[in-house]
Amino acid sequence: MEACHVDAIDEHEGLTQAADEGIEKFSSNIPIIAGVQNLKESLKAILQGASMLRTHFKLKEDRPLIGETVKVLTKIADEIEGLNGKTDAELTTYLGGIKYPLAGLKNIIKTKKFPVPLFAEGGIILPTDVAMVMGLNADGCIASSLVFKVPDPKRRIHSMIKAVQYYNNPAKLINYLEDS
């Protein structure tokens, strides 16, 4: 893949199913993006060498994708928060067979951030979607291809970029939400 100048590989279920423990990510210089649904999956993916995490979920016909994205981000945040104040022994028990360094887990608990970026993906088509996922500790987001089907995609994308920039500044953010 390196010879083909691939920029990144997104590890979808098909690739994950090819190997019981996921794809070996250290044998390549190509960044691997791993889809995760919870904290333990995130820790495993980081251990395996993922360069970036993205929200992942099973599609449900009757639910909007942004709702599923929010559920995953909230679940991860709740799991991290639930470890706050735990002893080393309790954290080790939580990790079970996952060989994630205790100091690294403590840093995640303290900062509420992973050592690699976590991107929100799924149903992100509005600036309000962007602001919401950024407020849930995503480091960025992957916009839905539906963005290109709105009447003015250039304006929408500009508003979404500004929502990333100003998600925690309501006075500035409001200027870019008219497109929501």
Side-chain angles (χ1 to χ4, degrees):
M1 294 238 211
E2 288 179 52
C4 294
H5 304 288
V6 171
D7 293 322
I9 299 170
D10 191 345
E11 182 187 61
H12 284 286
E13 311 88 73
L15 286 176
T16 304
Q17 291 170 0
D20 290 340
E21 296 298 317
I23 302 300
E24 171 56 50
K25 298 162 189 72
F26 290 109
S27 61
S28 170
N29 291 324
I30 301 171
I32 302 287
I33 304 163
V36 298
Q37 298 181 46
N38 57 52
L39 177 57
K40 285 187 176 182
E41 283 185 7
S42 303
L43 298 175
K44 287 178 188 176
I46 294 166
L47 274 177
Q48 292 170 350
S51 303
M52 181 177 129
L53 307 173
R54 64 166 175 76
T55 56
H56 172 76
F57 47 84
K58 301 285 184 216
L59 294 176
K60 295 181 180 162
E61 293 178 33
D62 61 337
R63 292 199 171 151
L65 292 177
I66 188 63
E68 296 301 311
T69 300
V70 167
K71 277 177 53 177
V72 171
L73 290 171
T74 302
K75 179 176 183 142
I76 291 171
D78 289 348
E79 289 173 332
I80 292 170
E81 186 59 36
L83 296 176
N84 200 19
K86 299 284 185 191
T87 66
D88 287 2
E90 290 170 322
L91 292 175
T92 301
T93 299
Y94 170 80
L95 287 172
I98 303 170
K99 294 179 171 66
Y100 200 85
L102 206 50
L105 179 58
K106 287 179 178 181
N107 192 54
I108 291 169
I109 295 165
K110 178 181 175 187
T111 64
K112 299 183 183 355
K113 291 283 185 187
F114 292 109
V116 300
L118 170 63
F119 275 60
E121 177 187 36
I124 299 171
I125 58 173
L126 298 169
T128 50
D129 297 337
V130 172
M132 181 170 45
V133 299
M134 295 301 293
L136 291 171
N137 264 350
D139 295 303
C141 60
I142 300 169
S144 169
S145 59
L146 295 175
V147 168
F148 297 102
K149 294 182 179 183
V150 302
D152 189 351
K154 185 176 179 180
R155 179 174 175 228
R156 173 70 60 87
I157 292 166
H158 174 76
S159 294
M160 292 173 78
I161 291 168
K162 290 301 183 179
V164 170
Q165 186 176 0
Y166 298 123
Y167 76 93
N168 60 356
N169 185 338
K172 289 189 178 185
L173 178 63
I174 194 73
N175 297 316
Y176 302 98
L177 297 184
E178 75 279 350
D179 200 24
S180 290

